[in-house]
Amino acid sequence: MNILVINCGSSSLKYQLIDSESENVLAKGLVERIGIEGSCITHTPAGRDKVVKTQPMQDHNEAVKLVIEALIDPEHGVIKSLSEIGAVGHRVVHGGEKFKTAVKIDDSVIKDIEDLSSLAPLHNPANLIGIRACAENMPGVPQAAVFDTAFHQTMPKKAYMYGLPYEYYEKYKVRRYGFHGTSHDYVSSRVGEILGKDRKDLKIIVCHLGNGASISAVKNGECVDTSMGLTPLEGLIMGTRSGDLDPAILDFICEKEGLSSHEMNTVLNKKSGVLGLSGGVSSDFRDLSAAANDGNELAKTALETYCYRVAKYIGSYTMAMQGVDVIAFTAGIGENAADVREGVCGYLKYMGVEIDADANKKRGEEITLSTADSKVKVMVVPTNEELSIARQTLAIL
Ligand code: ADP
């Protein structure tokens, strides 16, 4: 069965058509600037060149129509008709406490995702627009919602509660949810497969280091803690997001700089992280490493602070699981940035972590970094959230 995987943002839509039997990607693409001037679709059929088409489109409905047209196009398409799409799997950011697994979408699920929008006001409404656009353009094709938060729902209460008045949890469900769940789930499963073990017998720390970054402790196949919180702002230092900080800083800076809480929120999400810390050098680790190698002291500080924070979380999750068997790096930085992996692992020598410098030079493939003597296995496992969404869609439909 062919499964169309959709990741819908407020003005963009990413898609992949995956053959669930072979697990091959038949085509993938991106629709950008939906409803904005200059909207375009970039469609890449497997093994062929990408096709870019600039065309005005008012809304996501038109975007989904264009995706279907591209998929069945006689020249660039990969299927003959819509009937060859057996199901659609949607990435949905926030499933709250309600959704602990992926679900088949019906009216009540749509209502629940809508109700959860206050927890993810930028994401859930956009995800719903994608769901509705697919329902309209592909009537009768079953759809599934795969939640970013679901994998973390196994966390114990002590890991997800904040030290705040309990009534905020009762009234507003303020607690840690965690994100990137599909990636943490996929990577920890893959670690088990690569090692020929059941992940139920392993203690794994997954470091998902992309533009957004999060880390999770997966003990016996279940997430027991993760670094992102009520929103994806908490935890590690990210490209442009601050991660953990003293909450009193917010008020302090607002007063000093005359910022509103909304403006402060923008600073924390868009102007902080390694971009802010490096004095504006870049949020991209390729630029940061280049600047650091050229002697830029702030870029060096940003990289050091970043690695230190990741290592600090690894230390605390080792405690949470009372040990660790495998540390797995994934996502853009985890899969590619050898200097970050080296920097992080440098702090872990005390627990017997040793990595092989030559293995660490490789990029973007499944690699075992640790030496034969290392007390903990260290691996790079490229993530594949789309494949995981397709698998989960197939499983529930
Ligand atoms: P997201 O999915 O969160 O947008 P990705 O997982 O694609 O992000 O990660 C993107 C980041 O990965 C880039 O901003 C960059 O910092 C980093 N990155 C990508 N390629 C490399 C590379 N070759 N070396 C170092 N860092 C890289």
Side-chain angles (χ1 to χ4, degrees):
M1 182 202 289
N2 294 329
I3 298 179
L4 181 60
V5 175
I6 299 277
N7 182 352
C8 195
S10 56
S11 65
S12 70
L13 188 154
K14 284 190 212 151
Y15 63 92
Q16 279 196 9
L17 187 67
I18 296 177
D19 172 352
S20 64
E21 267 153 55
S22 65
E23 297 198 330
N24 286 334
V25 177
L26 305 178
K28 64 181 171 183
L30 167 68
V31 190
E32 286 171 287
R33 301 180 66 83
I34 302 169
I36 311 173
E37 211 187 302
S39 29
C40 72
I41 174 168
T42 307
H43 175 76
T44 314
R48 286 184 273 162
D49 288 341
K50 67 179 176 194
V51 192
V52 184
K53 188 170 160 192
T54 307
Q55 175 170 333
M57 59 191 105
Q58 275 180 353
D59 55 27
H60 288 73
N61 227 330
E62 288 183 24
V64 169
K65 280 200 179 92
L66 274 181
V67 170
I68 295 169
E69 269 173 31
L71 290 170
I72 62 177
D73 184 89
E75 210 179 324
H76 314 295
V78 289
I79 51 175
K80 289 200 184 68
S81 76
L82 199 55
S83 63
E84 290 179 48
I85 300 177
V88 184
H90 292 268
R91 174 189 181 213
V92 178
V93 167
H94 220 304
E97 289 187 324
K98 171 94 191 175
F99 296 106
K100 298 185 191 315
T101 57
V103 288
K104 186 173 175 191
I105 297 174
D106 58 19
D107 288 347
S108 84
V109 169
I110 288 181
K111 166 90 178 46
D112 289 331
I113 297 173
E114 219 160 36
D115 290 346
L116 289 163
S117 288
S118 72
L119 291 174
L122 295 179
H123 295 101
N124 275 26
N127 302 150
L128 273 175
I129 290 171
I131 290 170
R132 290 195 169 111
C134 287
E136 194 161 327
N137 289 285
M138 293 181 247
V141 178
Q143 301 195 64
V146 181
F147 298 92
D148 253 25
T149 48
F151 182 63
H152 304 303
Q153 276 296 303
T154 46
M155 274 186 290
K157 201 161 186 173
K158 65 185 174 190
Y160 71 68
M161 287 307 292
Y162 290 117
L164 286 169
Y166 195 72
E167 61 181 286
Y168 297 151
Y169 172 62
E170 289 179 307
K171 284 203 276 196
Y172 313 119
K173 293 284 170 222
V174 171
R175 50 159 282 184
R176 173 182 314 286
Y177 290 96
F179 297 87
H180 296 136
T182 307
S183 177
H184 289 284
D185 185 14
Y186 174 85
V187 170
S188 54
S189 287
R190 189 72 201 119
V191 162
E193 283 167 13
I194 295 168
L195 297 178
K197 289 185 178 169
D198 193 325
R199 80 174 163 170
K200 288 202 170 83
D201 300 322
L202 292 168
K203 295 171 180 173
I204 306 168
I205 294 177
V206 179
C207 308
H208 177 111
L209 312 179
N211 270 323
S214 67
I215 180 160
S216 68
V218 183
K219 186 180 184 186
N220 306 332
E222 291 192 340
C223 175
V224 294
D225 209 342
T226 191
S227 58
M228 281 179 170
L230 173 76
T231 75
L233 186 56
E234 194 184 348
L236 302 177
I237 293 170
M238 308 180 211
T240 62
R241 290 178 229 160
S242 64
D244 297 337
L245 41 79
D246 177 349
I249 293 173
L250 278 60
D251 214 26
F252 181 81
I253 298 291
C254 282
E255 217 161 276
K256 293 275 182 208
E257 295 273 316
L259 300 180
S260 67
S261 65
H262 179 74
E263 288 166 331
M264 189 67 218
N265 208 28
T266 305
V267 171
L268 296 179
N269 276 289
K270 305 244 159 90
K271 298 183 179 171
S272 301
V274 289
L275 172 71
L277 199 45
S278 64
V281 170
S282 180
S283 63
D284 192 303
F285 278 66
R286 285 162 286 200
D287 304 334
L288 271 184
S289 296
N293 288 334
D294 281 349
N296 184 311
E297 286 303 322
L298 288 184
K300 275 189 209 165
T301 305
L303 284 170
E304 276 167 15
T305 316
Y306 183 92
C307 294
Y308 178 69
R309 178 77 56 89
V310 175
K312 214 158 107 166
Y313 265 97
I314 292 174
S316 93
Y317 287 172
T318 302
M319 176 288 298
M321 296 193 291
Q322 296 291 294
V324 57
D325 300 310
V326 184
I327 297 165
F329 288 98
T330 194
I333 299 154
E335 291 166 29
N336 294 296
D339 51 348
V340 170
R341 297 191 301 238
E342 189 187 324
V344 172
C345 291
Y347 289 111
L348 307 176
K349 286 190 178 145
Y350 81 96
M351 55 195 244
V353 168
E354 271 186 56
I355 61 166
D356 181 284
D358 285 333
N360 192 38
K361 284 186 190 136
K362 296 185 195 163
R363 299 202 280 119
E365 54 180 300
E366 290 180 345
I367 319 162
T368 297
L369 297 181
S370 44
T371 61
D373 292 339
S374 179
K375 291 220 170 68
V376 180
K377 273 230 180 297
V378 183
M379 302 166 81
V380 174
V381 179
T383 192
N384 195 338
E385 290 165 276
E386 291 79 11
L387 176 59
S388 178
I389 291 173
R391 283 179 183 165
Q392 293 183 62
T393 301
L394 183 72
I396 59 161
L397 297 178

